[in-house]
Amino acid sequence: MAFLRRFGFALGLPVVLFVLWWVTSASSTDFYFPPLSRIVDSLVEEWFGPRLADDVLPSLLRLAAGYLIAAVVAVTLGVLIGTYKRLRDLLEPVLEFFRAIPPPVVVPILMLIFGIENTMKIVVIAFGCMWPILLNTAEGVRAVDSVLSDTAKTYRISGAARLRHLILPAASPQMAAGLRQGLSVAIILMVISELFAASDGLGFAIVQAQRSFAIPEMWAGMLMLGLLGFLLSLLFRLVESRWLAWYHGLRRAQRAG
């Protein structure tokens, strides 16, 4: 019952907005704002048809590659930076410098280095979405309870055992927050990277539809992008609920107490 209630709350507003859009646009004759029924028809025919394999799948593969690379690099660096103060003092100015650079600005430079193939797009995604993961991981490691750290030292728990049983579990809630933020950034950068000299992908297809004045196809592409973002967010929540089941259970117990 509680699950159905949460599910209803999650879908309630989107359903209302969809119905309002459908009703208010039903009689539209504006070339740039076609009826939602035409957009949905285009979504089914194009984006759940040939474009699913030609454009959506390549985008998702690039997104997955860039996001996974960013997660591995950022979590590793975040653990090291959060654990060793000297390393943090050494790297912090450089990391802050690179973090302040907007990822779209580095696209022309990366095009010169990697060309216009998939490598450039994957590097753009990885470069942009690694920063929230890195910073949240480092802060999570730094915030490990000092009592637990002292207890681990007392029992001579060090090295891989300390990392596995103390640092990673304690920092995992903030790591999850960084990974969630990084996923949102990765989706944005996936589209941006496909606006530059691309031959496939969601961003490429949407821009091509706009340039050829295929307005229903353009709106359908935007809807497809929103659906993908929603589904990826839902998938992340399912993974996070299993990964941090102990943490959410602890929070519920604390609230109940």
Side-chain angles (χ1 to χ4, degrees):
M1 190 67 180
F3 172 77
L4 292 177
R5 192 183 302 114
R6 289 197 301 269
F7 188 75
F9 275 121
L11 291 183
L13 183 58
V15 169
V16 170
L17 293 176
F18 185 86
V19 171
L20 284 175
W21 187 4
W22 186 285
V23 171
T24 56
S25 67
S27 58
S28 174
T29 57
D30 193 315
F31 178 76
Y32 297 105
F33 299 96
L36 182 55
S37 57
R38 287 184 58 195
I39 297 174
V40 172
D41 288 342
S42 178
L43 178 68
V44 174
E45 293 173 7
E46 292 286 332
W47 292 100
F48 287 100
R51 288 195 182 277
L52 189 62
D54 295 341
D55 292 304
V56 177
L57 185 58
S59 289
L60 288 177
L61 291 175
R62 288 190 284 260
L63 172 68
Y67 183 71
L68 288 175
I69 291 171
V72 171
V73 173
V75 168
T76 303
L77 277 177
V79 170
L80 292 173
I81 291 170
T83 304
Y84 301 105
K85 186 178 184 303
R86 289 184 179 179
L87 182 63
R88 180 167 65 250
D89 294 340
L90 176 66
L91 294 181
E92 192 169 33
V94 177
L95 294 177
E96 288 295 328
F97 173 80
F98 281 108
R99 187 176 72 89
I101 299 175
V105 173
V106 303
V107 170
I109 300 173
L110 295 178
M111 286 176 64
L112 293 175
I113 299 173
F114 298 106
I116 60 174
E117 301 302 325
N118 288 333
T119 303
M120 180 273 290
K121 301 174 181 64
I122 292 171
V123 172
V124 169
I125 295 170
F127 176 81
C129 72
M130 70 175 289
W131 302 111
I133 305 173
L134 171 60
L135 296 175
N136 276 277
T137 301
E139 288 303 313
V141 172
R142 290 179 63 187
V144 172
D145 193 326
S146 59
V147 175
L148 294 177
S149 295
D150 293 339
T151 303
K153 290 179 181 178
T154 301
Y155 285 96
R156 297 181 180 178
I157 300 174
S158 60
R162 184 174 184 271
L163 176 67
R164 180 181 176 185
H165 297 292
L166 173 61
I167 294 177
L168 290 181
S172 56
Q174 277 200 255
M175 287 169 56
L179 288 165
R180 189 186 306 114
Q181 295 172 19
L183 180 60
S184 301
V185 175
I187 295 172
I188 296 171
L189 293 176
M190 175 192 75
V191 177
I192 291 175
S193 67
E194 292 170 351
L195 301 180
F196 297 89
S199 58
D200 58 26
L202 267 164
F204 167 78
I206 292 172
V207 170
Q208 287 297 106
Q210 181 262 332
R211 290 174 178 171
S212 59
F213 293 95
I215 303 302
E217 288 78 3
M218 180 191 73
W219 282 103
M222 294 173 65
L223 279 181
M224 188 66 183
L225 186 58
L227 286 173
L228 283 176
F230 172 76
L231 291 175
L232 289 173
S233 176
L234 183 62
L235 178 62
F236 185 90
R237 279 190 172 187
L238 291 174
V239 173
E240 182 192 31
S241 65
R242 289 181 175 273
W243 175 25
L244 297 178
W246 63 270
Y247 175 73
H248 295 305
L250 179 63
R251 293 290 299 273
R252 286 193 295 268
Q254 289 174 343
R255 286 196 295 267

